[in-house]
């Protein structure tokens, strides 16, 4: 059987046309976004250049100097930011993105094992990716950070029907609900969820994130609290656990996320 961990994806997916013709090479684009620190840079490059075989060893090396949460945010996510840029410019295609995402996932799993989380009893959070949307990388990162901050998480996965979210919220009564949407065609699930919760008299902060949404959009429906980065999750949820309702979190959002 083929051992995929030994496959050199970078060589298979290499775009020779880009290497020959492009004014800016992937390496030049990456250099503008990648971290400067050599250990973090190596991990981020493993994601960008699909070095599936090296990512675990390099992640381990980075964790000798940095906390696992830092390796996620400053290396693995940064690598994926470069991938998103290359995809946006038409340099990477979907197969590249999928292999890069797998490499990042391998690193994240290793970091998660090394996060010394408190007992997960501080509060209950339900996470989901909007109906019709398969993009779950950001949601998974946010979940790792929430768990490591001591919150119990219920992961509904991706492409979750609105009705399933409503049912689970009614059953589990979480302290906070979160949603991720990266496609403009899926983000309308959020106002539908919030309006139907409001009709049932259920209120809680509903943290919404992902490239398709922005703060103005999320604040246009009841309960919506915007998050730009996964690292803001524990901070925003912390306020909910301190007894702040969604209106107060929204009104003090700038101060809260700046810490
Ligand atoms: C990776 C990727 C994929 C992967 C997804 C793998 C996966 N498991 O997620 C694959 C290859 C499967 C994919 C498929 C498609 N994709 Co795609 N994909 C991307 C890409 C390149 C990167 C997205 C990503 O993971 N970014 C990195 C993560 C970390 O970012 P993030 O999710 O936003 O999360 C951050 C924050 O939002 C926040 N966050 C997110 N969730 C949460 C939750 C909480 C609680 C908190 C606090 C914070 C938080 O924290 C994170 C950072 O700290 C983007 C391009 C882009 N510029 O975003 C396109 C993109 C999202 N895809 C796009 C499209 C169109 C598609 C396809 C329809 C393409 C196609 N023609 O088939 C298909 C989907 C088909 C389907 N319906 O099933 C479009 C969407 C356009 C739009 N505006 O609607 C984009 C923008 C590309 C583009 N420029 O056209 N894709």
């Amino acid at each position: 059987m083929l051992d995929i961990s030994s496959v050199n994806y970078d060589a298979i997916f290499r775009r020779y046309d880009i290497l020959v013709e492009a004014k800016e090479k992937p390496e030049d684009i990456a250099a503008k976004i990648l971290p400067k620190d050599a250990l973090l840079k190596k991990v981020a490059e493993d994601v960008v250049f699909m070095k599936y075989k090296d990512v675990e060893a390099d992640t381990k090396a980075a964790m000798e100097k940095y906390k696992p949460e830092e390796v996620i945010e400053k290396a693995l996510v940064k690598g994926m930011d470069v991938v998103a840029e290359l995809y946006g410019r038409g340099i990477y295609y979907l197969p590249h993105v999928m292999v890069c995402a797998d490499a990042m996932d391998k690193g994240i799993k290793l970091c998660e094992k090394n996060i010394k989380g408190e007992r997960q009893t501080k509060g209950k959070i339900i996470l989901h990716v909007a109906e019709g949307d398969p993009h779950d990388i950001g949601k998974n990162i946010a979940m790792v950070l929430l768990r490591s901050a001591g919150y119990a998480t219920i992961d509904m996965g991706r492409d979750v029907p609105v009705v399933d979210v409503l049912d689970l919220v009614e059953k589990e009564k979480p302290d906070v609900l979160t949603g991720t949407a990266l496609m403009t065609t899926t983000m309308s699930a959020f106002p539908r969820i919030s309006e139907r919760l409001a009709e049932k008299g259920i209120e809680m902060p509903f943290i919404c994130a992902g490239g398709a949404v922005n703060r103005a959009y999320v604040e246009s429906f009841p309960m919506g609290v915007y998050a730009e980065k996964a690292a803001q999750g524990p901070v925003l949820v912390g306020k909910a656990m301190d007894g702040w309702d969604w209106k107060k979190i929204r009104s003090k959002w700038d101060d809260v996320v700046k810490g």
Side-chain angles (χ1 to χ4, degrees), residues 15 25 83 125 139 170 178-179 210 221 230 244:
R15 292 276 310 272
K25 310 267 180 286
V83 175
I125 322 297
K139 184 264 297 163
E170 252 189 300
T178 85
F221 48 84
W244 291 25

Side-chain angles (χ1 to χ4, degrees), residues 73 80 84 87 94 97-98 132 134-139 141-142 158 178 180 182-184 209-211 227-230 233:
E73 278 290 320
M80 207 58 208
Y87 181 66
L94 284 182
V97 174
M98 290 169 90
H135 299 91
D136 63 356
I137 295 173
K139 184 264 297 163
I141 296 168
R158 55 190 172 181
T178 85
T180 301
L182 272 83
M183 295 164 70
T184 42
E228 196 182 0
K229 292 180 180 159

Side-chain angles (χ1 to χ4, degrees), residues 72 76 103-113 141 144:
I72 292 177
L76 293 158
M104 185 189 74
D105 218 38
K106 230 177 160 189
I108 287 184
K109 287 209 171 90
L110 195 63
C111 290
E112 195 181 5
K113 276 195 208 145
I141 296 168
V144 169

Side-chain angles (χ1 to χ4, degrees), residues 3 27 44 59 78 102 124 132 159 170 185 191 219 221 258:
D3 172 15
E27 285 76 6
T59 300
K78 278 281 170 247
D102 271 1
K124 196 195 280 180
D159 183 10
E170 252 189 300
T185 46
E219 294 189 356
F221 48 84
K258 276 182 208 136

